[in-house]
Amino acid sequence: MTKYIAHINPLNAEKIGCQPHGTAEFTENGDQLHIKVEMFDTPKNIEHWEHFHGFPDGKVAQAATMAQDVNHDGFVDLPETEPVSGTTMVPLDADPAKMNIPNNTYPVADSNGYYEYEIDVPLTELQENFKKAFDSTDLQLDKRVVYVHGVPESLKLPDTVKGCVMDYDTHTTLPIAAGKIEKED
């Protein structure tokens, strides 16, 4: 059994009016990957996309900070995370093994901004789909970063905030918290 953990810290907190934080735990045990995410103080009563991001070539990803706000609009948007965090890889949704990023099966925060997500994922199926997308079956979790996304539609975002994915606008994709995944000893 191999365990990994990410301590998830706020991103864009000054602009979104809350301090999203929590943990993500990944446990590989045989052909199962158990994932548990617990988040506090996220924007309330909305769905929060969550994924792990990384570099397909195995480069170590880092969580974005406000230093990645290259256009100086006060927000670190999804494209601005890519130089340090890589691309979106695996969704932490109702069926991570399918690797279908844009969908409506992500966790929804309660009226206190809290949610817990927990799932067992068939590792073989996830690795097969990961290989199709990234030419490797090795998830390299200790080289990845977890991101939590999503702000209410009522939050005014400047036109400089980018990151629309299909029919989902920047309110859905704006990163609100991130944490580097590390292997536990």
Side-chain angles (χ1 to χ4, degrees):
M1 182 167 32
T2 308
K3 291 186 174 188
Y4 302 85
I5 190 165
H7 297 283
I8 302 171
N9 298 303
L11 184 61
N12 292 312
E14 287 185 23
K15 295 290 188 174
I16 67 172
C18 59
Q19 298 279 329
H21 64 280
T23 56
E25 299 172 357
F26 301 84
T27 305
E28 292 178 352
N29 191 3
D31 187 41
Q32 291 291 311
L33 176 63
H34 182 79
I35 305 170
K36 180 180 180 184
V37 179
E38 188 173 28
M39 289 297 298
F40 302 88
D41 201 23
T42 67
K44 302 170 183 177
N45 301 313
I46 65 167
E47 181 179 56
H48 291 287
W49 282 18
E50 52 184 17
H51 315 90
F52 70 73
H53 295 220
F55 295 98
D57 66 2
K59 177 181 164 185
V60 176
Q62 300 297 325
T65 66
M66 290 310 294
Q68 275 64 57
D69 178 19
V70 295
N71 65 1
H72 306 290
D73 63 359
F75 291 89
V76 176
D77 61 25
L78 186 59
E80 288 173 322
T81 69
E82 291 175 6
V84 295
S85 304
T87 190
T88 303
M89 293 184 134
V90 175
L92 308 181
D93 62 359
D95 196 351
K98 296 260 187 283
M99 292 181 51
N100 178 24
I101 305 297
N103 70 71
N104 294 318
T105 66
Y106 291 93
V108 175
D110 68 15
S111 60
N112 295 313
Y114 172 82
Y115 72 84
E116 184 176 283
Y117 165 87
E118 194 162 7
I119 194 166
D120 288 313
V121 182
L123 204 45
T124 302
E125 182 184 354
L126 176 57
Q127 289 169 326
E128 287 171 4
N129 287 325
F130 196 82
K131 182 167 179 59
K132 288 176 192 172
F134 301 111
D135 202 30
S136 173
T137 59
D138 188 355
L139 301 178
Q140 297 181 316
L141 289 171
D142 58 345
K143 294 183 177 182
R144 311 300 184 203
V145 175
V146 172
Y147 275 93
V148 177
H149 307 263
V151 296
E153 290 289 330
S154 60
L155 183 66
K156 177 75 173 125
L157 297 175
D159 292 341
T160 53
V161 172
K162 304 297 181 199
C164 294
V165 176
M166 295 175 61
D167 293 335
Y168 297 93
D169 75 5
T170 53
H171 289 88
T172 301
T173 67
L174 185 74
I176 62 167
K180 172 84 175 73
I181 302 172
E182 297 175 347
K183 189 175 182 179
E184 285 194 320
D185 294 326

